[in-house]
Amino acid sequence: MFQWPGIELETGKISFIDSDFHYFKKGVFALPGEFNPENIRITSEIFEHEEILLGGDQASISGFHFQASEQSGLRLSKLGFDLSLANDGLQIRNIDLRTPHSLLDSEVLISFEQISQLVNEPGNLKIDARLRDLRIGPGDIDLFQPQLKSDPNLGPLLKYPIQLRSRFTGNLNQLNIAQFDLRMGSDSRLQLSGRLNQLLDFDRFSYSLPYVRLSVPEVDLSHLIALDSPFVAPEFILVSGTIEGNADLVRTGLDMEMPFGKLNLSGQFSEFGDQLAYDARLVIEGLDAAYYSDSLGPESIVGTIEIDGRGIDPRELQASFSGEFAHLQYQGVRYSPLSLEGSWGDKRGVLNVNLDGEFLAFEFMGSGSLDTTAYEL
């Protein structure tokens, strides 16, 4: 049972100016322009607070203000907050953190029945955490993760600030995502709402996101396609739907839209890695593949593909699939209806094809392995 110390304390404004702190491990040297947590040297221009109160069943710090710089080049233009603690709650308000490149504006409210819950029962604490604005500039990303700017996938997106607004309510056993709005790249945006369960127990952890919306413009996709490739990035991709699962599996129900294309992916994925297990269904409501492939693909696809299996490597793959295409048109000629059915396992595969096209119709049955092939028309 927590007990207050039984003393009263009240201070006015206290300031420390031009202080210096240096922490380092022997033999570890700091590199200019790169933050190293094993060699930190902080020079503080201002460390002050307006008031400290301690008495009865409460304590508070008001007007905390801190300015400092670190030898890597990181500069903390401002760190400020107001903190209060009582028998029924902890409040950290007016959190204001700023660097020349980044900022944080937030507040955290935690309520409880008794203070000892902070240590003994963290899962039952009631939380209301609001991130009004978080912006991380490229300059600060370079200080903490300099290797990311050369990453071929992430690097081009990190030339722009990362922005996040969010709000979480509930407790660590059931945390509600009331708002999650992430922006990065030139204009890419991810929005979520839902619930996280059992955050303190990895084996029981689960999540449910009934609202997922991702939008990505062409400028944030084009770097993923080689300049000499016949393929082009869509002007935009919009993904919306639901995602749920736990530490071992993911279930999806997602719609994807782009110019000249609309698809839906539903299914379950688990055991991530080389032995990925999947049971998925892709519905192509309409797709002009020629538009994105310099006319290499069909200009009209409408159909459904289903796949159920495990593994990715052909030497270990165990899977079955089927496809039904109500409409398939290539260079003005209809190659539909078309049905496909096949399986692969133990390094061997079977494929059945049935086509009743505009100028071509046939049935095909074939089988093969990594070394041999047999077929019948």
Side-chain angles (χ1 to χ4, degrees):
M1 175 70 70
F2 174 82
Q3 291 186 349
W4 292 90
I7 62 174
E8 293 189 2
L9 172 68
E10 181 177 352
T11 74
K13 184 173 182 177
I14 298 178
S15 299
F16 299 91
I17 299 175
D18 295 331
S19 57
D20 186 82
F21 169 81
H22 193 189
Y23 163 80
F24 64 95
K25 285 188 176 181
K26 188 175 181 180
V28 176
F29 301 95
L31 299 176
E34 183 174 332
F35 181 81
N36 188 339
E38 295 185 342
N39 192 321
I40 300 174
R41 183 161 194 164
I42 298 175
T43 301
S44 172
E45 295 92 347
I46 298 176
F47 182 95
E48 65 183 15
H49 57 78
E50 295 294 333
E51 183 181 59
I52 295 179
L53 293 176
L54 173 62
D57 294 344
Q58 60 183 1
S60 64
I61 299 175
S62 301
F64 180 86
H65 183 200
F66 181 59
Q67 291 182 4
S69 57
E70 207 275 330
Q71 61 185 349
S72 63
L74 174 66
R75 174 167 177 76
L76 192 62
S77 305
K78 180 181 180 182
L79 170 61
F81 60 82
D82 298 316
L83 182 149
S84 62
L85 174 65
N87 283 329
D88 59 353
L90 169 67
Q91 299 184 359
I92 309 175
R93 296 184 180 272
N94 304 317
I95 301 172
D96 186 2
L97 186 153
R98 298 175 187 269
T99 76
H101 309 287
S102 307
L103 66 87
L104 168 67
D105 177 9
S106 68
E107 67 176 14
V108 179
L109 310 179
I110 302 174
S111 57
F112 37 75
E113 295 180 0
Q114 49 186 340
I115 293 179
S116 60
Q117 286 183 274
L118 285 169
V119 176
N120 300 328
E121 300 177 73
N124 293 323
L125 301 173
K126 294 181 180 179
I127 299 169
D128 187 349
R130 181 175 297 182
L131 192 60
R132 296 189 186 93
D133 196 6
L134 170 64
R135 301 182 190 180
I136 305 176
D140 288 335
I141 295 174
D142 287 346
L143 282 174
F144 288 94
Q145 296 290 334
Q147 73 279 5
L148 289 181
K149 64 183 177 183
S150 59
D151 185 284
N153 298 321
L154 283 177
L157 300 178
L158 298 179
K159 295 178 181 178
Y160 305 88
I162 297 173
Q163 302 178 52
L164 175 63
R165 293 181 179 179
S166 63
R167 186 178 184 185
F168 298 87
T169 62
N171 57 54
L172 297 181
N173 294 324
Q174 183 174 304
L175 190 65
N176 300 309
I177 307 173
Q179 178 190 25
F180 185 94
D181 190 348
L182 173 67
R183 297 171 185 259
M184 64 185 303
S186 69
D187 196 25
S188 294
R189 186 177 185 184
L190 173 64
Q191 296 170 281
L192 304 171
S193 66
R195 185 174 65 250
L196 307 176
N197 300 311
Q198 303 298 332
L199 286 169
L200 298 179
D201 188 341
F202 182 80
D203 293 332
R204 298 171 61 199
F205 169 74
S206 66
Y207 54 89
S208 175
L209 305 174
Y211 177 77
V212 177
R213 189 178 191 274
L214 172 67
S215 58
V216 185
E218 179 182 9
V219 67
D220 290 341
L221 294 168
S222 56
H223 66 278
L224 302 174
I225 300 175
L227 293 176
D228 58 353
S229 170
F231 300 100
V232 297
E235 296 173 16
F236 68 86
I237 291 179
L238 175 62
V239 180
S240 60
T242 65
I243 299 177
E244 64 178 14
N246 54 40
D248 299 319
L249 65 85
V250 176
R251 297 186 187 94
T252 65
L254 298 173
D255 294 316
M256 182 169 69
E257 296 184 35
M258 65 190 79
F260 310 105
K262 187 174 182 180
L263 304 90
N264 173 272
L265 174 65
S266 59
Q268 177 172 301
F269 307 85
S270 61
E271 300 184 35
F272 305 103
D274 294 338
Q275 291 301 310
L276 174 69
Y278 38 83
D279 182 0
R281 186 171 190 259
L282 177 66
V283 177
I284 306 171
E285 297 184 22
L287 177 64
D288 182 353
Y291 180 81
Y292 298 108
S293 62
D294 195 20
S295 300
L296 293 177
E299 59 264 26
S300 179
I301 307 173
V302 177
T304 301
I305 300 172
E306 297 184 358
I307 184 168
D308 181 6
R310 179 188 301 273
I312 300 173
D313 190 326
R315 293 168 295 182
E316 299 178 355
L317 175 66
Q318 301 281 339
S320 61
F321 71 91
S322 64
E324 295 288 341
F325 297 91
H327 189 71
L328 182 65
Q329 181 174 306
Y330 179 63
Q331 296 186 351
V333 178
R334 176 176 58 81
Y335 294 90
S336 57
L338 169 66
S339 64
L340 308 171
E341 186 174 349
S343 62
W344 182 274
D346 299 324
K347 303 180 183 179
R348 297 185 59 84
V350 175
L351 175 64
N352 297 326
V353 181
N354 191 315
L355 171 64
D356 187 10
E358 186 175 358
F359 301 117
L360 181 64
F362 66 83
E363 291 185 9
F364 171 90
M365 294 181 290
S367 63
S369 67
L370 293 178
D371 303 313
T372 63
T373 302
Y375 63 89
E376 179 180 340
L377 279 172

